Amino acid sequence: MMTSHMAREVGEIPQVSRRFLTESRGALEAAAGAMRGVDPGLIVTVARGSSDHAATYLKYAVELLAGVPVASVGPSVASVYGRPLKLQRAACLGISQSGRSPDIVEMMRAAGAGGALTVAITNFADSPMAQASAHCLPLRAGVEQSVAATKTFVTSVLAGLALVAEWQEDASLKAAVETLPGAFEAALALDWSDLAARMARAQSGFVLGRGPAFAIANECALKLKETCGLHAEAYSAAEVLHGPSAIVQANFPVLALAVDDAAQAGVIQTAERLAAQGADVFVTGAAAAGCVTLPSVAGLHPLVAPLVLAVGFYGFVEALARRRGFDPDTPPHLRKVTETV
């Protein structure tokens, strides 16, 4: 059987992450220094699709580590409605694999005009978004042929985490970021065959998380939709109890992303409650009554642990797509670069 582009690109994640940490070091330090100079009281993010999930991840990382509020700005505010925003003493992070979508580019231009320090996180340092921004963190991930973004998503989050660690001069997070390539290698070897056996026949399901893991839950749900034709929805492990849990009945599949942080106990509690309703619940890295425990990489900094889970999930979902009869490289009705206005 031929290896899919997606499988090959997932396998490149450790190498790509090492390259980013080495070759984009200068750009990283320059952007972090500029952020220390501005000392932003607000950060806004501009992104769509998987890149927006990366932005959600960084929202939690910034708020938990720096105490600075982070808000997602709809690109249409600039591109469709032409409304300028007042962003003095703010920073704006734009995340886009291609850096070419007109609405993202226009929002980055507008943010800079509104007074924000603009930083582009993109795989293409010569892209329009990079050129419209004061700083660029080139991902250096190489060509990504699969429509489903994997290595660029992981490297985008890595770039953001490295930026936050450098900006805040946080030794613990800096050290954790440097160990990520090795952790990604370990994640590629994780065996999630128990989950694969259940999801091979599923039509819908939930993916749960809290904090940065909620961002990964969103990414997992998107990948289940686009590569496996499966209707998956992501929820906060708290929010799912405010209504959505009503549809969870016997054998409903649930993936709960638990990591060793302050939210872990709550995620486990929700997993156990849904299992008691009859759901087939799978939990990462923790034991929960009535649930199946999936292996994860142990001993990680809590702000990087969910990203490592994403790498393990990517290996799982690529194989699941083929098992369900889909080509993971070419989801129906989708293109690699989506340009919106």
Side-chain angles (χ1 to χ4, degrees):
M1 181 182 296
M2 291 183 61
T3 301
S4 69
H5 292 310
M6 183 178 179
R8 188 183 68 253
E9 289 159 5
V10 170
E12 292 173 1
I13 289 172
Q15 170 194 351
V16 166
S17 59
R18 286 190 181 96
R19 185 162 64 232
F20 170 81
L21 291 171
T22 300
E23 297 182 11
S24 291
R25 177 67 57 190
L28 190 65
E29 292 174 351
M35 289 186 70
R36 283 195 298 275
V38 170
D39 187 23
L42 169 69
I43 293 177
V44 296
T45 61
V46 184
R48 291 199 187 280
S50 285
S51 293
D52 199 35
H53 302 158
T56 300
Y57 196 116
L58 299 178
K59 167 187 170 65
Y60 283 104
V62 169
E63 291 176 350
L64 291 172
L65 193 68
V68 177
V70 181
S72 173
V73 176
S76 62
V77 170
S79 65
V80 175
Y81 297 102
R83 181 66 177 172
L85 296 177
K86 300 174 183 177
L87 293 173
Q88 292 82 3
R89 233 202 101 211
C92 178
L93 301 182
I95 308 175
S96 170
Q97 180 268 333
S98 69
R100 285 165 43 190
S101 191
D103 53 350
I104 304 288
V105 175
E106 185 56 35
M107 189 67 241
M108 293 302 287
R109 284 200 189 100
L117 170 69
T118 51
V119 180
I121 298 176
T122 179
N123 203 26
F124 296 93
D126 59 350
S127 65
M129 184 182 81
Q131 293 171 355
S133 304
H135 292 268
C136 176
L137 303 183
L139 300 182
R140 307 185 191 277
V143 175
E144 189 173 61
Q145 292 179 274
S146 176
V147 170
T150 54
K151 62 179 179 176
T152 54
F153 170 82
V154 172
T155 316
S156 293
V157 178
L158 170 66
L161 288 171
L163 177 63
V164 173
E166 194 72 33
W167 161 41
Q168 289 294 297
E169 300 178 306
D170 187 282
S172 176
L173 184 55
K174 279 186 183 182
V177 166
E178 293 298 325
T179 67
L180 276 173
F184 294 153
E185 288 179 340
L188 290 174
L190 295 176
D191 180 4
W192 283 15
S193 55
D194 286 343
L195 180 62
R198 175 62 189 89
M199 300 307 286
R201 64 185 191 278
Q203 296 304 313
S204 61
F206 286 167
V207 188
L208 311 180
R210 291 293 297 271
F214 172 60
I216 299 303
N218 279 275
E219 175 63 8
C220 292
L222 174 62
K223 289 296 185 286
L224 287 167
K225 292 185 183 84
E226 68 180 349
T227 68
C228 298
L230 195 156
H231 181 235
E233 295 297 333
Y235 289 102
S236 155
E239 191 66 32
V240 73
L241 301 178
H242 291 261
S245 63
I247 71 169
V248 175
Q249 298 176 358
N251 305 122
F252 189 93
V254 177
L255 170 59
L257 302 177
V259 298
D260 188 10
D261 68 0
Q264 185 184 60
V267 174
I268 292 171
Q269 185 177 29
T270 297
E272 291 178 341
R273 175 170 167 175
L274 295 178
Q277 291 179 213
D280 292 335
V281 183
F282 298 80
V283 182
T284 60
C291 306
V292 176
T293 300
L294 298 175
S296 61
V297 180
L300 299 173
H301 189 295
L303 287 183
V304 307
L307 183 59
V308 178
L309 279 180
V311 176
F313 176 85
Y314 283 156
F316 149 80
V317 82
E318 187 277 339
L320 178 65
R322 289 185 285 105
R323 184 170 177 172
R324 288 172 62 92
F326 288 85
D327 178 356
D329 291 334
T330 56
H333 315 301
L334 297 177
R335 295 180 299 168
K336 180 60 185 170
V337 178
T338 302
E339 297 187 5
T340 49
V341 294

